[in-house]
Amino acid sequence: MNMEYVQTVLVQIPAAKLDAALKPDGLLGELETHRSIASTRSGFRGMRVTRSANPEGDALVVVETRWASNNELADYSTQEPNVASIAAAHRDEVVPNSLQVHRMQAPGAGGASSADAARVYDRLALALFVPIGVLAFALLVIYGLSRIYLALPSSAATPLAAGIALGVLGIAAYFATHPTVPRWQIVGVFVVVLGTLAIGGTAAAVYDEGHHTVKQPEAAASPPAGATPGGAPSGNAIQITAKNIKFDKTTLTAAAGDVTIQFNNADNAIPHNFAVYKSDSGPTDEIKHTDIAAGPVVQTLQLTLEKGTYFFDCQVHPAQMSGKLIVE
């Protein structure tokens, strides 16, 4: 059966105020004007204004608006102007405390209407567009959060995650305690979330672009006479690469004095650094380290070392990435 959702507004007008209410700027005049405004609202099916014919006593005015769905009636009820707000604005023309608002469900007119066809179309469209929309929303959330988390220092990641969790719980609690939520509020939540993620993700991407510059490899020069092609860099320089969360070498050798270590983080979007220690006892014996940065990125560490055995690691992944530096 085709059902309609009806809002019925009742109000009494004193006989002495009836002429004023019938004027174009009076209550009844504005209700007639409102009919054309209401007809532009989604789901509107009709409006009827009736009043009692008693010329001597108070006139009872009954205004019915009919809607295709309960949500569309809820949207109309929460957005002004509506019949109830118009009646409240003309309180000087009505009997005090006579305004009543009722909502009910009733059988609609027989036969299929354009509103019914629109509802069928909406249901078919939802079956296609809702999954696509949910997937697109999830991808945007994942991308935006990933860019933001990569740009944040590790100390800020936990507070951000806690804030997001509290926000999700707050929104869920609001919707759970409001069974009928106007459509504009739902759309507003999605717009705010997507806008925040878009701004945060864009800012994080710009930050990464400016701070994690990838150095392009220089063209290999022809080795001088007597040099071995493919050997270690000339002078007291060392190269080491991080790939798949491990170093490509676990033992490095250098001559005493000024030492240059070129650290290449080849792990895409994974943060690493290179730290050197006097012993294997940990951070208390640290000599120097590079900044923690997500790859791909190339960094250089300048040291002055005496003969002896030193130790190195990645301070982000010390258990998987460590080794010895022997200075002769």
Side-chain angles (χ1 to χ4, degrees):
M1 179 181 293
N2 179 30
M3 302 299 293
E4 292 180 339
Y5 295 82
V6 183
Q7 182 192 70
T8 303
V9 178
L10 300 92
V11 68
Q12 295 181 22
I13 301 177
K17 299 285 187 177
L18 188 56
D19 289 339
L22 288 169
K23 293 181 179 180
D25 59 347
L27 172 58
L28 296 176
E30 284 202 25
L31 288 175
E32 288 301 323
T33 303
H34 180 67
R35 188 191 305 273
S36 60
I37 298 174
S39 65
T40 63
R41 302 283 183 86
S42 174
F44 178 79
R45 287 192 170 180
M47 174 175 169
R48 182 174 63 178
V49 181
T50 57
R51 62 184 175 91
S52 61
N54 183 4
E56 298 178 357
D58 296 341
L60 176 63
V61 177
V62 180
V63 185
E64 290 183 356
T65 53
R66 302 188 306 279
W67 303 89
S69 72
N70 191 39
N71 285 337
E72 288 161 332
L73 172 55
D75 287 345
Y76 170 75
S77 301
T78 56
Q79 298 179 26
E80 296 184 0
N82 54 54
V83 172
S85 69
I86 293 172
H90 288 269
R91 61 177 60 89
D92 58 329
E93 298 175 10
V94 303
V95 175
N97 301 320
S98 65
L99 176 63
Q100 300 179 46
V101 180
H102 302 280
R103 291 169 61 175
M104 61 193 73
Q105 187 177 4
S113 65
S114 59
D116 294 328
R119 292 175 66 191
V120 172
Y121 173 80
D122 288 343
R123 290 178 180 177
L124 293 176
L126 285 176
L128 175 63
F129 293 122
V130 166
I132 296 175
V134 170
L135 177 61
F137 180 77
L139 291 175
L140 286 172
V141 169
I142 293 171
Y143 174 78
L145 287 178
S146 66
R147 300 305 306 180
I148 293 171
Y149 273 114
L150 286 174
L152 284 176
S154 57
S155 59
T158 300
L160 176 61
I164 292 173
L166 290 175
V168 171
L169 289 175
I171 294 172
Y174 176 80
F175 286 145
T177 55
H178 294 74
T180 303
V181 179
R183 187 176 302 173
W184 67 267
Q185 291 186 6
I186 299 175
V187 174
V189 169
F190 278 92
V191 169
V192 170
V193 171
L194 290 178
T196 302
L197 289 175
I199 294 172
T202 302
V206 172
Y207 177 87
D208 283 346
E209 187 70 22
H211 290 75
H212 297 157
T213 303
V214 179
K215 293 185 178 180
Q216 299 297 328
E218 298 179 358
S222 299
T228 303
S234 61
N236 208 18
I238 306 170
Q239 287 183 337
I240 186 168
T241 299
K243 183 67 175 177
N244 298 325
I245 314 183
K246 63 181 181 180
F247 289 125
D248 64 338
K249 306 179 187 74
T250 56
T251 301
L252 301 176
T253 303
D258 293 335
V259 179
T260 300
I261 299 175
Q262 188 179 68
F263 171 56
N264 176 22
N265 178 4
D267 274 336
N268 187 36
I270 298 178
H272 294 306
N273 79 332
F274 188 86
V276 178
Y277 306 89
K278 294 179 182 178
S279 69
D280 60 354
S281 60
T284 56
D285 282 341
E286 179 185 320
I287 299 174
K288 201 171 184 181
H289 67 269
T290 65
D291 293 335
I292 296 174
V297 64
V298 177
Q299 298 171 311
T300 300
L301 191 65
Q302 301 284 351
L303 300 167
T304 301
L305 301 175
E306 299 177 352
K307 292 183 179 181
T309 300
Y310 301 83
F311 296 85
F312 63 85
D313 69 7
C314 166
Q315 293 176 323
V316 182
H317 309 94
Q320 302 101 312
M321 303 174 66
S322 62
K324 291 182 180 181
L325 170 59
I326 300 173
V327 179
E328 301 173 339

